[in-house]
Amino acid sequence: MAQLSSSPPSDFIREIIDEHLRTNRFQGRVATRFPPEPNGYLHIGHAKSVCLNFGIAAQYGGTCNLRMDDTDPAGESQEYVDSIIRDVKWLGFDWEDRLYYASDYYEQLYQFAMQLIRMGKAYVCSLSANEIREYRGTLTEPGKESPYRNRFMEENLDLFERMRAGEFKEGTHVLRAKIDMASPNITMRDPIMFRIRYEPHYRTGNKWVIYPMYDFAHCLSDSIEKITHSICTLEFENNRPLYDWFLDELKVEYHPQQIEFARLNLSYTVLSKRRLIELVENGNVSGWDDPRMPALAGMRRRGYTPEAILNFCERIGVAKNDSLIDLALLEHCVREDLNIKAPRVMAVLRPLRVVIDNYPEGQVEEFDCPYHPQNPEMGSRKVPFSPILFIEQEAFMEHPPEKFYRLAPGKEVRLRYGYFIKCVNVVKDPNTGEVTEVHCTYDPETRSGFAPDGRKVDATIHWVSAKHSLSAEVRLYDRLFSVADPMEGGSDFTEYLNSKSLEIIRECRVEPSLANAGPGSRLQFERTGYFCVDPVDSSGKALVFNRTTTLRDSWAKISEKEKR
Ligand code: ATP
Ligand code: MG
């Protein structure tokens, strides 16, 4: 099971459940569900809902179902179902044998509709879609009753059966609930329950040519599954009276309590399947699993851990008012988790050659380097050292400003896990003047990382042995959008895509121990960031690493400021 804390902080939803338990509203039962529509991959917003529904079920010893709310043949597919199953499992949640599909309830929903027709509470309306819209009225004006509203029950039954039998064209008839065209809540103005669609469904094929509307199917699916608490996002608040109307009129045995909470909005990204599909289809990203995507598939490929996502969801909590959560908080949670879990290794992204002039030619030493400075249980590996190394280009400056602590002519630094080296000379490209090689001497007395005479150095730099290191491609990711709220302003959100969200560096050099790192392995490249082996493109012959996150933690700074 997922690693949610056993006693999460309480919130208004848990308070409502506590109250229901006290008053025995549901005979002590707690039954929730996570009900995605399989028309896209899950994103981090869905993770909030997954954690909430499964978390509550676990905390109260109840159950949580996974239900595909698949009532619309357009855009739904088995690929999406498979991705949803994979992602919820990856987060660590278990629905046991309770995987359900709204499409399995079509017959039951049809029978419920027939029942409402017989009760005089539903009618077949033959207005066009445009006319229905016009008749609906506005927020300030009541709607107008459809001329078909008072059809006899027998006629409605006959027409609805013939709708099902495929006798009518799309758009010619719909089934509507007979509620109140003057209701201040527009949702209650005779909403549509069933419509004709000749599109095949990914599960039911051509069996059905009428499909239930989401509002009709959703509340009854919850009732069929004996859900006690139908937890959903705030935009469904206006639909609650309608759900209650269907459930009350049909006198169902199980009438769930709907509770709405604020959806997750995250800065520098968009959390809407429709918009994310647009990015995939436009080719703005390489797919749903592009590591810049807020989709769980993308986050997994980027190296985020399920534990970090769960921790993030718990920290943001649930509330009744919308807010924009800082992406830096999510990154903070990822760093916090990887700091504990990721083995440390050395990799040089932009290599500069260093030659140690006084090191015996042909000699190779092996340094035993711990994988984690604070956790000896993670063990160690051997890192070869030889007279020709690579260090980062940015670790050297020929004419350093004051306060440049790394390598420079005449300066001494420590090699991580190794000797002190001192720069004695540089070789330059005669045409460009660029430094191509740095010559150093090493002090054999400093193997322990300290000088016996007590002299100090200002910096420790990471390195790899030129001969032994492996070539790798490294992909550096940054936020997908360049503004905090790409939806603000209402213009085309793709205009705010960050053109620098992906930088690919080839010819990086990594220590030889990484030859065996499996797909998806997460590592810290010392002094550089957290990385993972790309599970799609990396192979033993051509290593590819994704940067999960940098080491710098802007969230720590933000929260520090807030405390002051
Ligand atoms: P989108 O707005 O991207 O189309 P959706 O809400 O239509 O998403 P569903 O598949 O219906 O997507 O979502 C399944 C569940 O996840 C619903 O209960 C929904 O309320 C919840 N959910 C979706 N987005 C968020 C979010 N940003 N924060 C929290 N919960 C969310
Ligand atoms: Mg939805």
Side-chain angles (χ1 to χ4, degrees):
M1 263 307 268
Q3 306 276 306
L4 285 169
S5 42
S6 51
S7 54
S10 194
D11 51 56
F12 77 97
I13 298 181
R14 289 171 163 92
E15 277 165 19
I16 293 172
I17 295 174
D18 289 337
E19 179 62 18
H20 289 162
L21 289 173
R22 254 195 307 278
T23 58
N24 208 28
R25 162 101 180 259
F26 296 103
Q27 292 73 48
R29 286 191 317 118
V30 175
T32 59
R33 82 289 175 262
F34 173 63
E37 186 187 351
N39 61 354
Y41 280 57
L42 298 184
H43 54 60
I44 183 80
H46 294 113
K48 174 176 176 178
S49 176
V50 170
C51 288
L52 188 59
N53 281 293
F54 280 93
I56 282 176
Q59 184 187 347
Y60 289 94
T63 52
C64 180
N65 301 348
L66 178 60
R67 179 176 73 244
M68 302 301 158
D69 252 344
D70 51 358
T71 55
D72 186 354
E76 294 174 356
S77 74
Q78 190 59 41
E79 179 200 342
Y80 292 137
V81 169
D82 295 341
S83 76
I84 290 167
I85 289 177
R86 193 182 319 127
D87 289 345
V88 179
K89 268 195 192 147
W90 178 67
L91 287 177
F93 296 104
D94 184 6
W95 50 90
E96 297 169 331
D97 56 352
R98 296 180 313 278
L99 169 61
Y100 299 122
Y101 295 84
S103 51
D104 283 340
Y105 307 145
Y106 284 173
E107 181 63 39
Q108 252 167 305
L109 295 168
Y110 176 80
Q111 295 303 335
F112 278 131
M114 293 287 277
Q115 201 179 323
L116 286 173
I117 296 173
R118 280 187 215 104
M119 292 163 62
K121 298 284 182 179
Y123 63 98
V124 173
C125 179
S126 309
L127 291 176
S128 69
N130 274 338
E131 288 166 327
I132 290 179
R133 204 172 307 123
E134 280 164 28
Y135 276 61
R136 191 171 292 135
T138 63
L139 280 174
T140 49
E141 277 170 58
K144 243 180 9 184
E145 293 190 352
S146 160
Y148 304 99
R149 200 172 195 259
N150 296 314
R151 270 178 166 151
F152 289 119
M153 184 251 282
E154 288 76 12
E155 189 185 2
N156 284 319
L157 282 178
D158 174 61
L159 285 172
F160 189 49
E161 274 164 353
R162 288 165 61 197
M163 279 168 67
R164 176 181 182 164
E167 287 187 27
F168 305 117
K169 286 208 185 89
E170 262 181 43
T172 53
H173 306 283
V174 291
L175 184 73
R176 299 177 71 174
K178 194 169 177 177
I179 308 180
D180 179 6
M181 287 309 289
S183 170
N185 181 349
I186 294 180
T187 315
M188 300 297 274
R189 295 182 189 168
D190 291 9
I192 298 174
M193 294 162 56
F194 269 90
R195 68 216 192 280
I196 302 171
R197 291 296 311 263
Y198 285 95
E199 188 153 337
H201 185 271
Y202 78 101
R203 284 187 84 238
T204 58
N206 295 317
K207 178 163 180 226
W208 290 88
V209 297
I210 54 171
Y211 289 92
M213 297 301 287
Y214 179 86
D215 280 342
F216 183 61
H218 183 72
C219 56
L220 286 163
S221 301
D222 278 353
S223 171
I224 291 168
E225 293 178 18
K226 306 184 176 59
I227 298 304
T228 57
H229 298 88
S230 298
I231 299 169
C232 65
T233 37
L234 281 180
E235 66 270 25
F236 292 101
E237 202 162 13
N238 284 336
N239 305 50
R240 177 156 31 100
L242 174 59
Y243 298 166
D244 287 336
W245 187 89
F246 284 133
L247 298 170
D248 288 339
E249 293 295 336
L250 288 164
K251 299 196 176 53
V252 294
E253 196 178 348
Y254 293 93
H255 189 140
Q257 172 69 54
Q258 173 167 305
I259 309 171
E260 307 88 16
F261 71 100
R263 61 195 293 122
L264 169 65
N265 301 305
L266 195 60
S267 62
Y268 299 99
T269 188
V270 293
L271 294 183
S272 145
K273 280 189 282 195
R274 199 159 50 86
R275 306 241 149 65
L276 295 175
I277 287 175
E278 227 179 296
L279 295 178
V280 172
E281 285 179 352
N282 287 347
N284 299 119
V285 293
S286 64
W288 285 95
D289 69 347
D290 186 302
R292 293 166 291 179
M293 285 284 269
L296 295 176
M299 293 186 170
R300 174 168 56 237
R301 182 166 173 193
R302 183 156 171 172
Y304 283 22
T305 60
E307 293 79 8
I309 293 172
L310 263 46
N311 181 253
F312 169 75
C313 290
E314 203 160 280
R315 280 164 102 136
I316 57 175
V318 281
K320 265 254 66 115
N321 46 335
D322 272 310
S323 65
L324 184 66
I325 303 287
D326 197 330
L327 181 62
L329 175 60
L330 175 60
E331 291 174 344
H332 172 76
C333 294
V334 172
R335 270 186 209 103
E336 210 173 51
D337 194 37
L338 291 179
N339 181 38
I340 298 168
K341 290 181 183 154
R344 274 54 170 169
V345 292
M346 291 198 283
V348 173
L349 301 198
R350 295 176 180 86
L352 173 63
R353 236 168 109 88
V354 170
V355 180
I356 310 208
D357 292 335
N358 61 338
Y359 193 81
E361 223 188 292
Q363 182 172 310
V364 177
E365 278 180 82
E366 281 196 323
F367 298 161
D368 189 48
C369 306
Y371 272 123
H372 198 293
Q374 278 95 44
N375 184 1
E377 277 175 22
M378 284 175 76
S380 64
R381 81 287 182 193
K382 300 268 189 264
V383 178
F385 179 83
S386 70
I388 302 179
L389 311 174
F390 287 120
I391 64 168
E392 296 286 354
Q393 286 167 17
E394 61 177 26
F396 174 82
M397 276 184 98
E398 192 187 6
H399 305 289
E402 239 183 289
K403 298 206 171 154
F404 181 81
Y405 295 119
R406 285 157 286 172
L407 199 60
K411 257 194 93 143
E412 191 170 44
V413 296
R414 176 190 295 113
L415 293 174
R416 181 74 165 141
Y417 303 118
Y419 299 107
F420 285 12
I421 59 168
K422 185 174 183 172
C423 172
V424 291
N425 193 11
V426 296
V427 177
K428 291 186 195 177
D429 182 314
N431 297 321
T432 64
E434 193 192 347
V435 174
T436 53
E437 201 170 274
V438 176
H439 282 255
C440 293
T441 55
Y442 87 114
D443 178 354
E445 300 298 315
T446 55
R447 173 65 197 88
S448 65
F450 295 94
D453 62 7
R455 74 182 191 279
K456 296 275 197 298
V457 288
D458 288 335
T460 300
I461 65 175
H462 62 275
W463 53 276
V464 294
S465 162
K467 191 163 101 187
H468 303 91
S469 60
L470 309 171
S471 172
E473 174 177 317
V474 171
R475 299 172 183 173
L476 303 180
Y477 298 103
D478 199 351
R479 39 194 56 166
L480 188 50
F481 290 91
S482 50
V483 297
D485 184 0
M487 297 313 296
E488 207 177 54
S491 59
D492 178 8
F493 72 107
T494 59
E495 278 174 27
Y496 301 113
L497 280 163
N498 175 8
S499 59
K500 299 195 179 76
S501 61
L502 169 60
E503 182 187 356
I504 299 177
I505 317 181
R506 300 196 171 86
E507 302 298 317
C508 303
R509 307 295 306 186
V510 303
E511 62 167 73
S513 73
L514 289 174
N516 305 317
S521 306
R522 303 179 184 96
L523 307 146
Q524 186 194 94
F525 289 174
E526 292 213 33
R527 318 210 137 237
T528 306
Y530 292 102
F531 290 79
C532 80
V533 179
D534 186 81
V536 179
D537 295 333
S538 192
S539 72
K541 284 201 196 77
L543 290 167
V544 179
F545 294 92
N546 295 326
R547 183 171 71 195
T548 311
T549 170
T550 54
L551 291 180
R552 221 181 40 249
D553 193 343
S554 50
W555 180 255
K557 275 191 222 129
I558 295 167
S559 49
E560 195 55 41
K561 246 190 255 157
E562 279 169 358
K563 265 185 238 146
R564 268 190 249 129

